[in-house]
Amino acid sequence: MSSIEFVKLEKVYKGLSDFCAVKGVDLQINEGEFVVFVGPSGCGKSTLLRMIAGLEDISGGELYFGDRCVNDLSPKERGIGMVFQSYALYPHMSVFDNMAFGLTLEKGSRETIKEKVEEVARILQIDHLLDRKPKALSGGQRQRVAIGRAIVRQPNVFLFDEPLSNLDASLRVQMRIEITKLHQRLKTTSIYVTHDQVEAMTMADKIVVLNQGRIMQVGSPLQIYNEPANTFVAGFMGSPTMNFIDVEAMDEQLSLRTGQANRRFLMPFRHSGPATLGIRPEHIELQPQADAIPVETRISVVEHLGNETLLYLATDLCEQPLVVAVSGEMAPEIGSELTIYLPLERSHLFDAQGDAVKRQGSASVN
Amino acid sequence: MKALKRRTGQVLFALAVLALLIYTIFPFYIAILTSLQGGEGSFYLLQDFDFSNYVSVFREQPFFLNILNSALVSFGTVAISLLIAVTASYALARVHFRGRTTLLLTVLGVSMFPQVAVLSGMFELVRLLGLYNNLGSLVLSYTVFSLPFSVWILTTFMRGIPKDLEEAAIVDGATPWQIITRIFMPVLWPALVTTGLLAFIGAWNEFMFAITFILSNEQRTVPVAISMISGGSQYEMPWGPIMAASVIVTVPLILLVLVFQRKIVEGLTAGAVKG
């Protein structure tokens, strides 16, 4: 087990025009932590993981495991275990041989290998499958074998590269819980790459949100949800995504750009100039509230999800429809008028660069 | 009316199949027939089982030695060309280096030359290496000719192996050589059998190099030895012994193909390797 530290880590792909996939990433991962890298495709999260694994050369900066710089070490010397998206099981070997492959290369004795593999197989409940070939296994079982192969060498660091994306929805939930349990049991430093924000929120001790090769925010799942550092994080985490409304801020007051442009609202932020107000669909109210902006809307689309209903509302505040999550029992009519209330207390303010403005005190409607 | 139509269709189909069968099998039928006939018999019908031709093949010349030579040369060619082809295709499929595509196209381009074109150059090479009248000269030249095809096929197959598989092995601590021998070769088994068998058939049946580079009877391979079988006079073609010898040397090939038949089909049809 070890902590990991990234110092200005960079990855440049040389070519006709150099492509910078990872741009100066600084990050500290503590021993035993479960860290999730999340971001849209092409954000550099997989590249970053592969650089930690040693499968991708580091173009600049330094990578430390504990206090040891591992830039030039091979994956084996770094002591990592990796689970691939496609499982990457050796198709011609039995489950036992798949898991034992790394140990046989280290030339361990037959008995210790057998003992270790069988113990890990028991933990993962695949001990009855040891003689099977990968093609005779189901997706979930293959995934377990892939995890087993990574665990059995007792690595310092576990790396997961979107391991659940090939599984069906219910199995994904089940494996998610099992990986979390496994981590609680083994307490090995783990890095998990996913584009699925539910996996990120549920599994992580620490979430690292990446975009275009840069870290957007690092924090606990609730920090990321409650205090997004910028519009990117705010828009990426949370489903359905946060609503953004262009506003004009003057010190502690806020005015909408259209419609009720003459009305001023006191806001819990101190900022001047053009800004973006962000509010999550689940925080918008249908009942009049103190400290809330009333908005006249018309219902354009209704999505019934059972437990909740999503309303897409056309307004003159922004071109995108505002999304509101309401209780599942509600059955509103498309085209009807609806007044909603945006509670400023639960909203976020971002400056013109998209960075979050720090919240302060409480607010009241002017 | 409909039944009649279907019936005619079936008959026509059967006739077509029959024609095709006769067309392909007839030469072999004649070969076997001729080899089994001692004296002058009917040309088309088997009248007696006479193995004297088979006996004479082994008595008149060191034919057993010739078969051994052929086997030696063929297996040697297969072993060496597979070894080189596997390692070369690993590099061509997996390692990024400048001029990779150019190299691959050159390999393919080289295989376009007809044997005659390289015969004199190859002869000089063989003389230079002191391999004249030595089976080594044949292994060398056959390997040169089977390599482009083997490399090309194996590179295509190697590309079909998921990158993850290789990386998983790297993470497990395998060296490139271990990746090739422990992971890639078992996975590529059908492709190896196919290319190996084709190299074997090529080497087993080759004639031009074999007659050019080998001088003595004891070093000759089978195709040349068969061509050297002579009759009682200059004007007599000893068809019986020639056919007997041909049948003898075809049997190993047929056995090989039958044994590996399923693998060959897999190798020729299966594109990618599924996990």
Side-chain angles (χ1 to χ4, degrees), chain A residues 42-101:
Chain A
C43 70
K45 56 190 192 296
S46 277
T47 309
L48 203 54
L49 189 82
R50 294 166 54 80
M51 284 162 82
I52 301 168
L55 293 171
E56 207 76 64
D57 289 334
I58 294 170
S59 316
E62 275 145 17
L63 177 66
Y64 291 93
F65 279 19
D67 47 12
R68 191 165 59 128
C69 177
V70 297
N71 275 33
D72 297 320
L73 297 186
S74 73
K76 191 191 168 211
E77 291 164 320
R78 293 182 193 195
I80 56 135
M82 185 155 173
V83 179
F84 293 86
Q85 182 177 358
S86 64
Y87 319 129
L89 300 179
Y90 311 125
H92 58 289
M93 294 186 193
S94 67
V95 168
F96 180 91
D97 290 335
N98 259 287
M99 289 167 68
F101 186 64

Side-chain angles (χ1 to χ4, degrees), chain A residues 50 55 75-76 80-82 84-86 88-93 101-102 104-105 142 149 153, chain B residues 162-175 178 182-184 186-187 273-275:
Chain A
R50 294 166 54 80
L55 293 171
K76 191 191 168 211
I80 56 135
M82 185 155 173
F84 293 86
Q85 182 177 358
S86 64
L89 300 179
Y90 311 125
H92 58 289
M93 294 186 193
F101 186 64
T104 30
L105 291 179
R142 285 181 200 182
R149 187 174 62 181
R153 283 178 304 119
Chain B
K163 191 114 180 72
D164 282 358
L165 209 59
E166 185 187 353
E167 290 179 343
I170 294 175
V171 169
D172 269 339
T175 61
Q178 283 169 329
R182 308 275 301 261
I183 307 294
F184 280 10
V187 171
V273 183
K274 276 186 190 160

Side-chain angles (χ1 to χ4, degrees), chain A residues 116-351:
Chain A
K116 280 184 184 175
V117 170
E118 279 174 357
E119 191 201 331
V120 169
R122 254 196 309 279
I123 294 173
L124 292 166
Q125 295 157 21
I126 46 173
D127 39 350
H128 59 293
L129 303 171
L130 285 176
D131 296 328
R132 296 234 196 128
K133 287 271 172 67
K135 65 172 179 238
L137 301 179
S138 69
Q141 288 168 335
R142 285 181 200 182
Q143 189 61 68
R144 277 166 212 260
V145 177
I147 293 172
R149 187 174 62 181
I151 302 178
V152 78
R153 283 178 304 119
Q154 293 165 325
N156 295 323
V157 180
F158 268 147
L159 306 173
F160 297 90
D161 189 5
E162 307 203 19
L164 305 185
S165 53
N166 284 351
L167 299 179
D168 61 59
S170 64
L171 205 54
R172 203 179 297 175
V173 174
Q174 190 190 334
M175 285 305 291
R176 197 168 79 202
I177 295 165
E178 287 196 24
I179 291 177
T180 309
K181 268 197 216 157
L182 198 67
H183 176 253
Q184 281 162 1
R185 177 172 177 158
L186 300 170
K187 302 222 184 313
T188 307
T189 312
S190 303
I191 302 175
Y192 187 105
V193 163
T194 181
H195 58 261
D196 184 323
Q197 46 168 309
V198 180
E199 280 175 26
M201 293 297 285
T202 51
M203 300 172 85
D205 294 324
K206 190 193 262 178
I207 292 180
V208 178
V209 185
L210 290 152
N211 187 33
Q212 296 182 345
R214 284 183 217 283
I215 290 184
M216 292 285 115
Q217 190 176 2
V218 179
S220 72
L222 286 183
Q223 258 173 354
I224 299 273
Y225 178 82
N226 290 328
E227 303 155 30
N230 46 51
T231 45
F232 176 80
V233 176
F236 187 75
M237 299 299 284
S239 172
T241 51
M242 189 182 274
N243 298 298
F244 292 112
I245 302 164
D246 287 338
V247 295
E248 199 66 42
M250 270 156 300
D251 206 19
E252 290 193 1
Q253 293 191 340
L254 171 151
S255 62
L256 301 172
R257 290 236 174 120
T258 52
Q260 309 150 313
N262 49 351
R263 277 191 79 182
R264 298 271 168 87
F265 301 92
L266 203 59
M267 59 178 186
F269 306 99
R270 184 183 291 276
H271 181 71
S272 289
T276 306
L277 188 74
I279 182 149
R280 296 199 182 276
E282 55 270 36
H283 294 154
I284 294 178
E285 300 286 347
L286 299 183
Q287 304 304 322
Q289 298 268 318
D291 306 337
I293 307 173
V295 182
E296 306 281 323
T297 67
R298 199 166 40 76
I299 300 174
S300 58
V301 176
V302 178
E303 286 183 346
H304 293 285
L305 299 181
N307 61 332
E308 61 176 6
T309 300
L310 300 180
L311 309 180
Y312 291 77
L313 307 170
T315 69
D316 52 3
L317 291 180
C318 48
E319 290 193 5
Q320 297 291 327
L322 284 183
V323 185
V324 182
V326 297
S327 89
E329 287 99 59
M330 216 180 130
E333 214 173 292
I334 293 172
S336 60
E337 306 273 321
L338 187 69
T339 307
I340 57 169
Y341 300 87
L342 313 178
L344 283 164
E345 197 49 44
R346 308 214 63 170
S347 61
H348 308 265
L349 194 73
F350 304 96
D351 64 19

